[in-house]
Amino acid sequence: MAALLAGPPALAALPAALHPVPAAAQGRRPGDPGTFQPREIIDSGHQFFGSVSRGLALTVQEATRRWGEPNGYILGQEASGAIIGGVRFGEGTLFTRNAGQRKVFWQGPSLGFDVGGDGARSMMLVYNLPRVDALYRRFVGMDGSAYVVGGFGMSAVTSDNIVVVPIRAGVGARFGINVGYLKFTDSPTWNPF
């Protein structure tokens, strides 16, 4: 999602948005054969992200602390831009233990005090996914960005009991905070709604 030009009070609300459903999302026990352990995700991320892998390891550890072990993850790339209102488009591969790999696409609008544009490699940790087609819906959340040239960050979006935690390593310039949603589909579309 895009970001907005907001002062410290708006940015102070960001930690609450990153912790939307802690009790419900921690339904998976560590070591559950249907989940991915942090080490597996970090190893996969090292190959995918390359030089930002230290930041990835810290971010994955924080996500695991908050939401437990995911039962799926997505590796892909995306592009976004915003001037107050924004859009994001991406594509990648969903990895699960029981359904293998699937190509997925995401898009979505955002609204807030946000300006800039970026391109990013994304890893999205997926929690409480009962089946692959349950991902094809809208996930609402809040996002904040503050970087010039590049940056690395984590946010969270939710729908029902499913939590998706996007971890992005981006290039561009972005500053702000916004509210929006990501809509996942099994085929590409230019309609962000």
Side-chain angles (χ1 to χ4, degrees):
M1 302 214 203
L4 310 180
L5 293 175
L11 293 177
L14 190 56
L18 294 178
H19 202 13
V21 285
Q26 292 180 358
R28 301 279 181 173
R29 296 182 317 273
D32 184 327
T35 65
F36 292 91
Q37 295 180 0
R39 180 82 258 150
E40 294 174 277
I41 295 168
I42 292 168
D43 289 345
S44 182
H46 280 276
Q47 296 171 6
F48 185 69
F49 284 106
S51 65
V52 296
S53 57
R54 184 181 186 294
L56 172 68
L58 295 173
T59 307
V60 167
Q61 288 172 354
E62 177 62 19
T64 302
R65 185 186 68 76
R66 290 183 184 198
W67 294 286
E69 292 180 352
N71 62 338
Y73 67 94
I74 299 168
L75 294 178
Q77 57 272 335
E78 62 185 28
S80 67
I83 300 176
I84 308 296
V87 293
R88 179 176 306 276
F89 293 94
E91 67 177 88
T93 303
L94 169 66
F95 296 86
T96 64
R97 291 267 192 230
N98 58 358
Q101 301 175 12
R102 300 277 174 93
K103 191 77 170 168
V104 295
F105 302 86
W106 60 92
Q107 53 282 322
S110 62
L111 184 62
F113 298 104
D114 187 17
V115 65
D118 62 342
R121 285 186 170 235
S122 299
M123 171 183 270
M124 299 187 188
L125 307 180
V126 183
Y127 296 90
N128 302 321
L129 186 65
R131 58 191 186 287
V132 171
D133 64 348
L135 184 66
Y136 304 136
R137 63 173 76 186
R138 289 176 177 85
F139 291 81
V140 178
M142 187 170 136
D143 192 15
S145 301
Y147 60 86
V148 177
V149 179
F152 190 78
M154 171 180 87
S155 61
V157 292
T158 64
S159 179
D160 295 328
N161 193 35
I162 303 170
V163 178
V164 177
V165 179
I167 300 169
R168 298 180 177 108
V171 176
R174 201 63 173 267
F175 186 75
I177 190 165
N178 66 65
V179 175
Y181 64 79
L182 287 180
K183 178 181 72 172
F184 289 89
T185 58
D186 58 357
S187 60
T189 178
W190 286 104
N191 180 0
F193 303 101

